[in-house]
Amino acid sequence: MAKQNKLDDHPTVVQVRQRRERGSARPAEPLDAAWLRQLCLDAGADDVGFVEIDRPEVADQRTDLGAALPGVRTLISFVVRMNRENIRTPARSVANLEFHHSGDHTNEVGRQVVAELEAMGVRAINPAMGFPMEMDKFPRKAWVVSHKPVAVAAGLGKMGIHRNVIHPKFGNFILLGTILIDAEISDSSQPVEFNPCLECKLCVTACPTGAIASDGHFNFSACYTHNYREFMGGFGDWAEQVAESRNADDYRSRVSDAESASMWQSLSFGANYKAAYCMSVCPAGEDVIGPWLDSHKSHLDTVVRPLVNKEETVYVLSDSDAEKHVASKFPHKRTKRVGQSLRANSIEGLVEGMPLIFQREQAAEMSATYHFTFTGAESRQITVTIRDRELDIADGHHGEPDLKITADAGTWLRFLTKRAVLPWALLRRRIKMQGSPRLLLDFGRCFPS
C-alpha cells in the first residue's frame, strides 16, 4: 500500500492523471477516415487507403504484423509519386538517385504520421519502405510488411504483368508505404475495379534478363540475380569473390575495376538497381499515358529503345534461362556468370525457394516425378513434378516416382551449395537414389547454381 501511495504522488503520475481528467487522452474510435487521410496527405503522401487487419487480402501477413505491433487493427497504405523522367533515363545513377530520395521521403511520411498519432495516444509503427529489413531471417522473408498486396487491397492500384503496382493516376512511378495502427477507422478502402495495366508488353521487351514473359510468367531468379546484384545475396557473392582471390591480380581477373567502383558506390550511397527497366517503360496511368497515346513510335524511340540498345553487363547464373535470353535477344550486351545467391539454409527454406529459382525453359523437354525423403535434423517428404515447363511441389509422396532420393537434410543442403560432393555422399549413404542418375542431372538444370 505504501508503494502504491508513493506512486500516486509521483509528479509524472499526477500530471498524466490530470491531463486525462481534462479530456486530452486517446481520441475516440473509430478514427475519422477523412481526417486520417488528410493527415497523411499533409505529411507528403500522394494517395492513401485503409485496410482492416481482418481483411482476407492480408491474411497471410497477419501473424507477422501482429508480432510487429501487438493489437494492430488497421493498415494505412500510402503512395509517394516519383519523377518519371528520372526513372526512364538510361543513366542509372539518375534513376537510383530518384529511388533513394523518394524512398527516404516515403519513410519520412510514415514517420511523421506515426509521430502525430503517437502524440494523440494511438499506437503506430511505420516499417521501412524497403530497407532496413530483418536480415537475421535472410534468405527467407525478411520484410515486416508486404506493401504491394496491402496497396492493392487499399485501392491504390493493381499489379501489372511486371509485378509492380500501377496506380490509376500516377502509373507505376510510385513507392509504397504502410503504417500499422492499433485503432479502428470510420471507413475502409476497397480495391479499384479495373487494372490500369495496358498489357502492352513493353516491360517484356525491355527486361534485359527475360524475367517477364509475355504469358505472365515471372522468373524471379533472373530479376534478382541482375537487378539486385549489389543487394543482399549478390553482395554476399561478391564478398566470396574477395575471400577466394589469391591476390590483387586474381581479384581483378574476377571483378573489373568498374564493378568494384560500383560496389563501393552502393556501400557508400545506398544499394543501386542495375535495371528496373520494366518500370521505366510502362505507359500506364492517367498522368503517364498521354505521350504514348499520341505516338507509340515516339515512346519506343525516346524511352524503350535507349534502354534496349544500352551496352551493359547483365549478371546471370550459368546455363540459366536468363543467360540464353541475353544471347538471343541482346547480343550487344555482355553477360557475366555469378553465383546463386538464393541459397537455402533449411529444407523448409529450400521448398519455399524452389519456385523462385525454377528455370522453365531448362525443363522444356522434361516429364518426371521425384520423391524426396529428408532425414536427420529436418524430417520431411515431398513430391516434385516437372512437366510441360511447370513445377509442382506437394507435401508427402504421391504417384509413381521416376526417381527416389533419400538424403540427410544437412548433407543435401551442403551438396546444393557445393560444400559436399555427390560421390562422397553416396558412398557414405548420406544420400541414396533409386532410379536413373540422369534424372538428377536434369533436375539440377532446372535449378542452376
Side-chain angles (χ1 to χ4, degrees), residues 356-391:
L356 302 180
I357 62 176
F358 178 65
Q359 307 289 295
R360 69 172 184 169
E361 300 308 324
Q362 302 295 323
E365 299 178 1
M366 281 189 63
S367 180
T369 298
Y370 300 80
H371 281 181
F372 287 90
T373 301
F374 296 108
T375 61
E378 292 183 82
S379 179
R380 188 166 182 177
Q381 294 182 338
I382 62 170
T383 298
V384 178
T385 304
I386 301 175
R387 183 174 294 113
D388 298 327
R389 301 192 306 160
E390 296 289 339
L391 170 71

PDB file of all heavy atoms in Angstrom, residues 356-391:
ATOM      1  N   LEU A 356      11.073 -20.038 -56.886  1.00  0.00           N
ATOM      2  CA  LEU A 356      11.716 -18.769 -57.208  1.00  0.00           C
ATOM      3  C   LEU A 356      12.914 -18.946 -58.135  1.00  0.00           C
ATOM      4  O   LEU A 356      13.259 -18.027 -58.890  1.00  0.00           O
ATOM      5  CB  LEU A 356      12.168 -18.061 -55.927  1.00  0.00           C
ATOM      6  CG  LEU A 356      11.075 -17.749 -54.900  1.00  0.00           C
ATOM      7  CD1 LEU A 356      11.681 -17.062 -53.691  1.00  0.00           C
ATOM      8  CD2 LEU A 356       9.985 -16.866 -55.526  1.00  0.00           C
ATOM      9  N   ILE A 357      13.568 -20.098 -58.072  1.00  0.00           N
ATOM     10  CA  ILE A 357      14.755 -20.300 -58.908  1.00  0.00           C
ATOM     11  C   ILE A 357      14.523 -21.279 -60.057  1.00  0.00           C
ATOM     12  O   ILE A 357      15.426 -21.552 -60.843  1.00  0.00           O
ATOM     13  CB  ILE A 357      15.954 -20.764 -58.056  1.00  0.00           C
ATOM     14  CG1 ILE A 357      15.658 -22.099 -57.383  1.00  0.00           C
ATOM     15  CG2 ILE A 357      16.325 -19.714 -57.017  1.00  0.00           C
ATOM     16  CD1 ILE A 357      16.849 -22.648 -56.603  1.00  0.00           C
ATOM     17  N   PHE A 358      13.309 -21.793 -60.169  1.00  0.00           N
ATOM     18  CA  PHE A 358      12.978 -22.736 -61.244  1.00  0.00           C
ATOM     19  C   PHE A 358      13.136 -22.079 -62.606  1.00  0.00           C
ATOM     20  O   PHE A 358      12.669 -20.962 -62.845  1.00  0.00           O
ATOM     21  CB  PHE A 358      11.539 -23.223 -61.064  1.00  0.00           C
ATOM     22  CG  PHE A 358      11.061 -24.157 -62.142  1.00  0.00           C
ATOM     23  CD1 PHE A 358      11.627 -25.399 -62.308  1.00  0.00           C
ATOM     24  CD2 PHE A 358      10.035 -23.769 -63.008  1.00  0.00           C
ATOM     25  CE1 PHE A 358      11.184 -26.266 -63.300  1.00  0.00           C
ATOM     26  CE2 PHE A 358       9.578 -24.615 -63.990  1.00  0.00           C
ATOM     27  CZ  PHE A 358      10.159 -25.873 -64.144  1.00  0.00           C
ATOM     28  N   GLN A 359      13.819 -22.780 -63.512  1.00  0.00           N
ATOM     29  CA  GLN A 359      14.063 -22.301 -64.874  1.00  0.00           C
ATOM     30  C   GLN A 359      13.212 -23.122 -65.841  1.00  0.00           C
ATOM     31  O   GLN A 359      13.563 -24.245 -66.200  1.00  0.00           O
ATOM     32  CB  GLN A 359      15.544 -22.434 -65.234  1.00  0.00           C
ATOM     33  CG  GLN A 359      16.488 -21.790 -64.224  1.00  0.00           C
ATOM     34  CD  GLN A 359      16.407 -20.282 -64.268  1.00  0.00           C
ATOM     35  OE1 GLN A 359      16.753 -19.652 -65.274  1.00  0.00           O
ATOM     36  NE2 GLN A 359      15.954 -19.686 -63.166  1.00  0.00           N
ATOM     37  N   ARG A 360      12.110 -22.556 -66.252  1.00  0.00           N
ATOM     38  CA  ARG A 360      11.146 -23.373 -67.004  1.00  0.00           C
ATOM     39  C   ARG A 360      11.634 -23.742 -68.397  1.00  0.00           C
ATOM     40  O   ARG A 360      11.241 -24.777 -68.932  1.00  0.00           O
ATOM     41  CB  ARG A 360       9.796 -22.675 -67.072  1.00  0.00           C
ATOM     42  CG  ARG A 360       9.722 -21.422 -67.912  1.00  0.00           C
ATOM     43  CD  ARG A 360       8.273 -20.974 -68.042  1.00  0.00           C
ATOM     44  NE  ARG A 360       8.130 -19.828 -68.912  1.00  0.00           N
ATOM     45  CZ  ARG A 360       6.968 -19.378 -69.353  1.00  0.00           C
ATOM     46  NH1 ARG A 360       5.849 -19.985 -68.993  1.00  0.00           N
ATOM     47  NH2 ARG A 360       6.902 -18.322 -70.132  1.00  0.00           N
ATOM     48  N   GLU A 361      12.479 -22.923 -69.016  1.00  0.00           N
ATOM     49  CA  GLU A 361      12.964 -23.277 -70.351  1.00  0.00           C
ATOM     50  C   GLU A 361      13.937 -24.440 -70.294  1.00  0.00           C
ATOM     51  O   GLU A 361      14.083 -25.188 -71.262  1.00  0.00           O
ATOM     52  CB  GLU A 361      13.612 -22.062 -71.012  1.00  0.00           C
ATOM     53  CG  GLU A 361      12.676 -20.869 -71.198  1.00  0.00           C
ATOM     54  CD  GLU A 361      11.384 -21.249 -71.910  1.00  0.00           C
ATOM     55  OE1 GLU A 361      11.420 -22.110 -72.821  1.00  0.00           O
ATOM     56  OE2 GLU A 361      10.327 -20.697 -71.555  1.00  0.00           O
ATOM     57  N   GLN A 362      14.629 -24.593 -69.161  1.00  0.00           N
ATOM     58  CA  GLN A 362      15.507 -25.753 -68.993  1.00  0.00           C
ATOM     59  C   GLN A 362      14.683 -27.037 -68.845  1.00  0.00           C
ATOM     60  O   GLN A 362      15.202 -28.133 -69.036  1.00  0.00           O
ATOM     61  CB  GLN A 362      16.389 -25.563 -67.758  1.00  0.00           C
ATOM     62  CG  GLN A 362      17.264 -24.316 -67.781  1.00  0.00           C
ATOM     63  CD  GLN A 362      18.304 -24.361 -68.874  1.00  0.00           C
ATOM     64  OE1 GLN A 362      18.856 -25.411 -69.173  1.00  0.00           O
ATOM     65  NE2 GLN A 362      18.550 -23.221 -69.514  1.00  0.00           N
ATOM     66  N   ALA A 363      13.420 -26.873 -68.489  1.00  0.00           N
ATOM     67  CA  ALA A 363      12.541 -28.025 -68.279  1.00  0.00           C
ATOM     68  C   ALA A 363      11.635 -28.289 -69.471  1.00  0.00           C
ATOM     69  O   ALA A 363      10.663 -29.042 -69.362  1.00  0.00           O
ATOM     70  CB  ALA A 363      11.690 -27.790 -67.034  1.00  0.00           C
ATOM     71  N   ALA A 364      11.960 -27.684 -70.605  1.00  0.00           N
ATOM     72  CA  ALA A 364      11.063 -27.743 -71.771  1.00  0.00           C
ATOM     73  C   ALA A 364      10.764 -29.174 -72.212  1.00  0.00           C
ATOM     74  O   ALA A 364       9.649 -29.481 -72.651  1.00  0.00           O
ATOM     75  CB  ALA A 364      11.655 -26.942 -72.920  1.00  0.00           C
ATOM     76  N   GLU A 365      11.736 -30.062 -72.100  1.00  0.00           N
ATOM     77  CA  GLU A 365      11.541 -31.435 -72.582  1.00  0.00           C
ATOM     78  C   GLU A 365      11.445 -32.440 -71.442  1.00  0.00           C
ATOM     79  O   GLU A 365      11.565 -33.645 -71.659  1.00  0.00           O
ATOM     80  CB  GLU A 365      12.693 -31.813 -73.522  1.00  0.00           C
ATOM     81  CG  GLU A 365      12.779 -30.930 -74.759  1.00  0.00           C
ATOM     82  CD  GLU A 365      13.949 -31.295 -75.658  1.00  0.00           C
ATOM     83  OE1 GLU A 365      14.678 -32.255 -75.321  1.00  0.00           O
ATOM     84  OE2 GLU A 365      14.119 -30.633 -76.695  1.00  0.00           O
ATOM     85  N   MET A 366      11.219 -31.955 -70.242  1.00  0.00           N
ATOM     86  CA  MET A 366      11.172 -32.846 -69.088  1.00  0.00           C
ATOM     87  C   MET A 366       9.759 -33.287 -68.751  1.00  0.00           C
ATOM     88  O   MET A 366       8.800 -32.539 -68.928  1.00  0.00           O
ATOM     89  CB  MET A 366      11.785 -32.156 -67.859  1.00  0.00           C
ATOM     90  CG  MET A 366      13.295 -32.141 -67.835  1.00  0.00           C
ATOM     91  SD  MET A 366      13.893 -31.537 -66.231  1.00  0.00           S
ATOM     92  CE  MET A 366      13.261 -32.803 -65.118  1.00  0.00           C
ATOM     93  N   SER A 367       9.655 -34.493 -68.238  1.00  0.00           N
ATOM     94  CA  SER A 367       8.408 -35.011 -67.676  1.00  0.00           C
ATOM     95  C   SER A 367       8.808 -36.062 -66.660  1.00  0.00           C
ATOM     96  O   SER A 367       9.051 -37.225 -67.001  1.00  0.00           O
ATOM     97  CB  SER A 367       7.515 -35.617 -68.754  1.00  0.00           C
ATOM     98  OG  SER A 367       6.313 -36.126 -68.195  1.00  0.00           O
ATOM     99  N   ALA A 368       8.923 -35.640 -65.399  1.00  0.00           N
ATOM    100  CA  ALA A 368       9.450 -36.545 -64.383  1.00  0.00           C
ATOM    101  C   ALA A 368       8.854 -36.207 -63.022  1.00  0.00           C
ATOM    102  O   ALA A 368       8.519 -35.059 -62.735  1.00  0.00           O
ATOM    103  CB  ALA A 368      10.974 -36.458 -64.322  1.00  0.00           C
ATOM    104  N   THR A 369       8.736 -37.257 -62.196  1.00  0.00           N
ATOM    105  CA  THR A 369       8.258 -37.114 -60.818  1.00  0.00           C
ATOM    106  C   THR A 369       9.354 -37.582 -59.870  1.00  0.00           C
ATOM    107  O   THR A 369       9.937 -38.659 -60.063  1.00  0.00           O
ATOM    108  CB  THR A 369       6.985 -37.940 -60.590  1.00  0.00           C
ATOM    109  OG1 THR A 369       5.948 -37.457 -61.453  1.00  0.00           O
ATOM    110  CG2 THR A 369       6.516 -37.839 -59.147  1.00  0.00           C
ATOM    111  N   TYR A 370       9.616 -36.784 -58.853  1.00  0.00           N
ATOM    112  CA  TYR A 370      10.664 -37.070 -57.891  1.00  0.00           C
ATOM    113  C   TYR A 370      10.060 -37.189 -56.496  1.00  0.00           C
ATOM    114  O   TYR A 370       9.277 -36.333 -56.080  1.00  0.00           O
ATOM    115  CB  TYR A 370      11.712 -35.953 -57.875  1.00  0.00           C
ATOM    116  CG  TYR A 370      12.416 -35.720 -59.199  1.00  0.00           C
ATOM    117  CD1 TYR A 370      11.805 -34.978 -60.218  1.00  0.00           C
ATOM    118  CD2 TYR A 370      13.688 -36.237 -59.438  1.00  0.00           C
ATOM    119  CE1 TYR A 370      12.442 -34.760 -61.429  1.00  0.00           C
ATOM    120  CE2 TYR A 370      14.346 -36.012 -60.641  1.00  0.00           C
ATOM    121  CZ  TYR A 370      13.706 -35.273 -61.634  1.00  0.00           C
ATOM    122  OH  TYR A 370      14.346 -35.057 -62.836  1.00  0.00           O
ATOM    123  N   HIS A 371      10.455 -38.243 -55.791  1.00  0.00           N
ATOM    124  CA  HIS A 371      10.097 -38.394 -54.386  1.00  0.00           C
ATOM    125  C   HIS A 371      11.336 -38.110 -53.536  1.00  0.00           C
ATOM    126  O   HIS A 371      12.359 -38.782 -53.663  1.00  0.00           O
ATOM    127  CB  HIS A 371       9.596 -39.806 -54.093  1.00  0.00           C
ATOM    128  CG  HIS A 371       8.191 -40.046 -54.499  1.00  0.00           C
ATOM    129  ND1 HIS A 371       7.543 -41.245 -54.298  1.00  0.00           N
ATOM    130  CD2 HIS A 371       7.270 -39.228 -55.098  1.00  0.00           C
ATOM    131  CE1 HIS A 371       6.308 -41.161 -54.759  1.00  0.00           C
ATOM    132  NE2 HIS A 371       6.119 -39.953 -55.253  1.00  0.00           N
ATOM    133  N   PHE A 372      11.247 -37.077 -52.690  1.00  0.00           N
ATOM    134  CA  PHE A 372      12.341 -36.743 -51.781  1.00  0.00           C
ATOM    135  C   PHE A 372      11.950 -37.125 -50.359  1.00  0.00           C
ATOM    136  O   PHE A 372      10.844 -36.811 -49.904  1.00  0.00           O
ATOM    137  CB  PHE A 372      12.646 -35.248 -51.824  1.00  0.00           C
ATOM    138  CG  PHE A 372      13.349 -34.797 -53.081  1.00  0.00           C
ATOM    139  CD1 PHE A 372      12.620 -34.388 -54.185  1.00  0.00           C
ATOM    140  CD2 PHE A 372      14.737 -34.772 -53.139  1.00  0.00           C
ATOM    141  CE1 PHE A 372      13.254 -33.960 -55.336  1.00  0.00           C
ATOM    142  CE2 PHE A 372      15.383 -34.342 -54.283  1.00  0.00           C
ATOM    143  CZ  PHE A 372      14.648 -33.938 -55.389  1.00  0.00           C
ATOM    144  N   THR A 373      12.865 -37.793 -49.664  1.00  0.00           N
ATOM    145  CA  THR A 373      12.712 -38.084 -48.240  1.00  0.00           C
ATOM    146  C   THR A 373      13.917 -37.513 -47.519  1.00  0.00           C
ATOM    147  O   THR A 373      15.053 -37.961 -47.737  1.00  0.00           O
ATOM    148  CB  THR A 373      12.618 -39.594 -47.976  1.00  0.00           C
ATOM    149  OG1 THR A 373      11.499 -40.133 -48.691  1.00  0.00           O
ATOM    150  CG2 THR A 373      12.451 -39.867 -46.491  1.00  0.00           C
ATOM    151  N   PHE A 374      13.689 -36.513 -46.688  1.00  0.00           N
ATOM    152  CA  PHE A 374      14.778 -35.889 -45.942  1.00  0.00           C
ATOM    153  C   PHE A 374      14.758 -36.410 -44.508  1.00  0.00           C
ATOM    154  O   PHE A 374      13.697 -36.514 -43.876  1.00  0.00           O
ATOM    155  CB  PHE A 374      14.635 -34.370 -45.958  1.00  0.00           C
ATOM    156  CG  PHE A 374      14.763 -33.774 -47.339  1.00  0.00           C
ATOM    157  CD1 PHE A 374      13.656 -33.273 -47.995  1.00  0.00           C
ATOM    158  CD2 PHE A 374      15.991 -33.749 -47.980  1.00  0.00           C
ATOM    159  CE1 PHE A 374      13.772 -32.738 -49.275  1.00  0.00           C
ATOM    160  CE2 PHE A 374      16.126 -33.213 -49.255  1.00  0.00           C
ATOM    161  CZ  PHE A 374      15.006 -32.711 -49.897  1.00  0.00           C
ATOM    162  N   THR A 375      15.937 -36.725 -43.996  1.00  0.00           N
ATOM    163  CA  THR A 375      16.073 -37.277 -42.652  1.00  0.00           C
ATOM    164  C   THR A 375      17.066 -36.423 -41.863  1.00  0.00           C
ATOM    165  O   THR A 375      17.623 -35.457 -42.373  1.00  0.00           O
ATOM    166  CB  THR A 375      16.571 -38.730 -42.726  1.00  0.00           C
ATOM    167  OG1 THR A 375      17.870 -38.754 -43.359  1.00  0.00           O
ATOM    168  CG2 THR A 375      15.611 -39.607 -43.526  1.00  0.00           C
ATOM    169  N   GLY A 376      17.268 -36.787 -40.616  1.00  0.00           N
ATOM    170  CA  GLY A 376      18.252 -36.075 -39.809  1.00  0.00           C
ATOM    171  C   GLY A 376      17.649 -34.884 -39.106  1.00  0.00           C
ATOM    172  O   GLY A 376      16.584 -34.969 -38.496  1.00  0.00           O
ATOM    173  N   ALA A 377      18.340 -33.751 -39.202  1.00  0.00           N
ATOM    174  CA  ALA A 377      17.921 -32.548 -38.474  1.00  0.00           C
ATOM    175  C   ALA A 377      16.530 -32.085 -38.884  1.00  0.00           C
ATOM    176  O   ALA A 377      15.792 -31.518 -38.076  1.00  0.00           O
ATOM    177  CB  ALA A 377      18.937 -31.431 -38.695  1.00  0.00           C
ATOM    178  N   GLU A 378      16.163 -32.303 -40.135  1.00  0.00           N
ATOM    179  CA  GLU A 378      14.824 -31.956 -40.625  1.00  0.00           C
ATOM    180  C   GLU A 378      14.240 -33.167 -41.336  1.00  0.00           C
ATOM    181  O   GLU A 378      14.835 -33.682 -42.283  1.00  0.00           O
ATOM    182  CB  GLU A 378      14.882 -30.771 -41.589  1.00  0.00           C
ATOM    183  CG  GLU A 378      15.277 -29.455 -40.957  1.00  0.00           C
ATOM    184  CD  GLU A 378      15.241 -28.326 -41.974  1.00  0.00           C
ATOM    185  OE1 GLU A 378      14.155 -27.786 -42.232  1.00  0.00           O
ATOM    186  OE2 GLU A 378      16.316 -27.990 -42.514  1.00  0.00           O
ATOM    187  N   SER A 379      13.096 -33.590 -40.891  1.00  0.00           N
ATOM    188  CA  SER A 379      12.426 -34.742 -41.483  1.00  0.00           C
ATOM    189  C   SER A 379      11.240 -34.263 -42.316  1.00  0.00           C
ATOM    190  O   SER A 379      10.352 -33.583 -41.799  1.00  0.00           O
ATOM    191  CB  SER A 379      11.959 -35.702 -40.389  1.00  0.00           C
ATOM    192  OG  SER A 379      11.286 -36.807 -40.959  1.00  0.00           O
ATOM    193  N   ARG A 380      11.266 -34.620 -43.614  1.00  0.00           N
ATOM    194  CA  ARG A 380      10.158 -34.180 -44.471  1.00  0.00           C
ATOM    195  C   ARG A 380      10.131 -35.021 -45.749  1.00  0.00           C
ATOM    196  O   ARG A 380      11.172 -35.439 -46.256  1.00  0.00           O
ATOM    197  CB  ARG A 380      10.321 -32.698 -44.823  1.00  0.00           C
ATOM    198  CG  ARG A 380       9.126 -32.111 -45.556  1.00  0.00           C
ATOM    199  CD  ARG A 380       9.187 -30.605 -45.580  1.00  0.00           C
ATOM    200  NE  ARG A 380       8.034 -30.017 -46.239  1.00  0.00           N
ATOM    201  CZ  ARG A 380       7.819 -28.718 -46.339  1.00  0.00           C
ATOM    202  NH1 ARG A 380       8.696 -27.856 -45.811  1.00  0.00           N
ATOM    203  NH2 ARG A 380       6.740 -28.250 -46.944  1.00  0.00           N
ATOM    204  N   GLN A 381       8.933 -35.239 -46.259  1.00  0.00           N
ATOM    205  CA  GLN A 381       8.754 -35.922 -47.538  1.00  0.00           C
ATOM    206  C   GLN A 381       8.033 -34.981 -48.498  1.00  0.00           C
ATOM    207  O   GLN A 381       7.038 -34.349 -48.115  1.00  0.00           O
ATOM    208  CB  GLN A 381       7.935 -37.206 -47.374  1.00  0.00           C
ATOM    209  CG  GLN A 381       8.621 -38.287 -46.562  1.00  0.00           C
ATOM    210  CD  GLN A 381       7.781 -39.549 -46.476  1.00  0.00           C
ATOM    211  OE1 GLN A 381       6.564 -39.522 -46.660  1.00  0.00           O
ATOM    212  NE2 GLN A 381       8.428 -40.677 -46.187  1.00  0.00           N
ATOM    213  N   ILE A 382       8.536 -34.887 -49.711  1.00  0.00           N
ATOM    214  CA  ILE A 382       7.883 -34.058 -50.722  1.00  0.00           C
ATOM    215  C   ILE A 382       7.901 -34.769 -52.065  1.00  0.00           C
ATOM    216  O   ILE A 382       8.756 -35.623 -52.328  1.00  0.00           O
ATOM    217  CB  ILE A 382       8.549 -32.669 -50.874  1.00  0.00           C
ATOM    218  CG1 ILE A 382       9.994 -32.811 -51.343  1.00  0.00           C
ATOM    219  CG2 ILE A 382       8.465 -31.875 -49.585  1.00  0.00           C
ATOM    220  CD1 ILE A 382      10.628 -31.481 -51.736  1.00  0.00           C
ATOM    221  N   THR A 383       6.960 -34.395 -52.900  1.00  0.00           N
ATOM    222  CA  THR A 383       6.914 -34.864 -54.290  1.00  0.00           C
ATOM    223  C   THR A 383       7.086 -33.665 -55.195  1.00  0.00           C
ATOM    224  O   THR A 383       6.369 -32.669 -55.060  1.00  0.00           O
ATOM    225  CB  THR A 383       5.570 -35.551 -54.601  1.00  0.00           C
ATOM    226  OG1 THR A 383       5.423 -36.708 -53.763  1.00  0.00           O
ATOM    227  CG2 THR A 383       5.511 -35.976 -56.067  1.00  0.00           C
ATOM    228  N   VAL A 384       8.045 -33.759 -56.098  1.00  0.00           N
ATOM    229  CA  VAL A 384       8.306 -32.690 -57.064  1.00  0.00           C
ATOM    230  C   VAL A 384       8.015 -33.233 -58.459  1.00  0.00           C
ATOM    231  O   VAL A 384       8.602 -34.237 -58.876  1.00  0.00           O
ATOM    232  CB  VAL A 384       9.767 -32.191 -56.988  1.00  0.00           C
ATOM    233  CG1 VAL A 384      10.009 -31.110 -58.033  1.00  0.00           C
ATOM    234  CG2 VAL A 384      10.080 -31.669 -55.590  1.00  0.00           C
ATOM    235  N   THR A 385       7.104 -32.563 -59.151  1.00  0.00           N
ATOM    236  CA  THR A 385       6.760 -32.964 -60.517  1.00  0.00           C
ATOM    237  C   THR A 385       7.119 -31.835 -61.466  1.00  0.00           C
ATOM    238  O   THR A 385       6.736 -30.679 -61.235  1.00  0.00           O
ATOM    239  CB  THR A 385       5.261 -33.284 -60.639  1.00  0.00           C
ATOM    240  OG1 THR A 385       4.911 -34.295 -59.685  1.00  0.00           O
ATOM    241  CG2 THR A 385       4.933 -33.775 -62.044  1.00  0.00           C
ATOM    242  N   ILE A 386       7.866 -32.164 -62.517  1.00  0.00           N
ATOM    243  CA  ILE A 386       8.244 -31.191 -63.547  1.00  0.00           C
ATOM    244  C   ILE A 386       7.701 -31.703 -64.869  1.00  0.00           C
ATOM    245  O   ILE A 386       8.105 -32.763 -65.347  1.00  0.00           O
ATOM    246  CB  ILE A 386       9.767 -31.004 -63.613  1.00  0.00           C
ATOM    247  CG1 ILE A 386      10.304 -30.530 -62.260  1.00  0.00           C
ATOM    248  CG2 ILE A 386      10.137 -30.022 -64.714  1.00  0.00           C
ATOM    249  CD1 ILE A 386      11.818 -30.442 -62.200  1.00  0.00           C
ATOM    250  N   ARG A 387       6.771 -30.955 -65.438  1.00  0.00           N
ATOM    251  CA  ARG A 387       6.127 -31.406 -66.675  1.00  0.00           C
ATOM    252  C   ARG A 387       5.584 -30.190 -67.423  1.00  0.00           C
ATOM    253  O   ARG A 387       5.016 -29.286 -66.822  1.00  0.00           O
ATOM    254  CB  ARG A 387       4.991 -32.382 -66.359  1.00  0.00           C
ATOM    255  CG  ARG A 387       4.306 -32.969 -67.578  1.00  0.00           C
ATOM    256  CD  ARG A 387       3.289 -34.035 -67.186  1.00  0.00           C
ATOM    257  NE  ARG A 387       3.938 -35.210 -66.587  1.00  0.00           N
ATOM    258  CZ  ARG A 387       3.803 -35.580 -65.318  1.00  0.00           C
ATOM    259  NH1 ARG A 387       3.026 -34.859 -64.503  1.00  0.00           N
ATOM    260  NH2 ARG A 387       4.420 -36.644 -64.865  1.00  0.00           N
ATOM    261  N   ASP A 388       5.781 -30.163 -68.727  1.00  0.00           N
ATOM    262  CA  ASP A 388       5.268 -29.070 -69.566  1.00  0.00           C
ATOM    263  C   ASP A 388       5.736 -27.703 -69.070  1.00  0.00           C
ATOM    264  O   ASP A 388       4.950 -26.750 -68.986  1.00  0.00           O
ATOM    265  CB  ASP A 388       3.726 -29.108 -69.618  1.00  0.00           C
ATOM    266  CG  ASP A 388       3.196 -30.387 -70.233  1.00  0.00           C
ATOM    267  OD1 ASP A 388       3.874 -30.924 -71.132  1.00  0.00           O
ATOM    268  OD2 ASP A 388       2.123 -30.852 -69.804  1.00  0.00           O
ATOM    269  N   ARG A 389       7.007 -27.627 -68.679  1.00  0.00           N
ATOM    270  CA  ARG A 389       7.642 -26.396 -68.203  1.00  0.00           C
ATOM    271  C   ARG A 389       7.004 -25.867 -66.918  1.00  0.00           C
ATOM    272  O   ARG A 389       7.148 -24.694 -66.585  1.00  0.00           O
ATOM    273  CB  ARG A 389       7.600 -25.295 -69.268  1.00  0.00           C
ATOM    274  CG  ARG A 389       8.292 -25.653 -70.574  1.00  0.00           C
ATOM    275  CD  ARG A 389       8.470 -24.431 -71.449  1.00  0.00           C
ATOM    276  NE  ARG A 389       7.220 -23.725 -71.667  1.00  0.00           N
ATOM    277  CZ  ARG A 389       7.126 -22.468 -72.058  1.00  0.00           C
ATOM    278  NH1 ARG A 389       8.217 -21.755 -72.270  1.00  0.00           N
ATOM    279  NH2 ARG A 389       5.950 -21.893 -72.249  1.00  0.00           N
ATOM    280  N   GLU A 390       6.316 -26.730 -66.198  1.00  0.00           N
ATOM    281  CA  GLU A 390       5.669 -26.331 -64.952  1.00  0.00           C
ATOM    282  C   GLU A 390       6.252 -27.124 -63.789  1.00  0.00           C
ATOM    283  O   GLU A 390       6.626 -28.295 -63.933  1.00  0.00           O
ATOM    284  CB  GLU A 390       4.157 -26.565 -65.022  1.00  0.00           C
ATOM    285  CG  GLU A 390       3.443 -25.722 -66.069  1.00  0.00           C
ATOM    286  CD  GLU A 390       3.377 -24.251 -65.696  1.00  0.00           C
ATOM    287  OE1 GLU A 390       3.521 -23.939 -64.488  1.00  0.00           O
ATOM    288  OE2 GLU A 390       3.187 -23.427 -66.600  1.00  0.00           O
ATOM    289  N   LEU A 391       6.302 -26.487 -62.631  1.00  0.00           N
ATOM    290  CA  LEU A 391       6.806 -27.104 -61.412  1.00  0.00           C
ATOM    291  C   LEU A 391       5.672 -27.255 -60.419  1.00  0.00           C
ATOM    292  O   LEU A 391       4.905 -26.317 -60.184  1.00  0.00           O
ATOM    293  CB  LEU A 391       7.905 -26.223 -60.800  1.00  0.00           C
ATOM    294  CG  LEU A 391       8.399 -26.593 -59.395  1.00  0.00           C
ATOM    295  CD1 LEU A 391       9.218 -27.887 -59.442  1.00  0.00           C
ATOM    296  CD2 LEU A 391       9.224 -25.456 -58.794  1.00  0.00           C
TER     297      LEU A 391
END
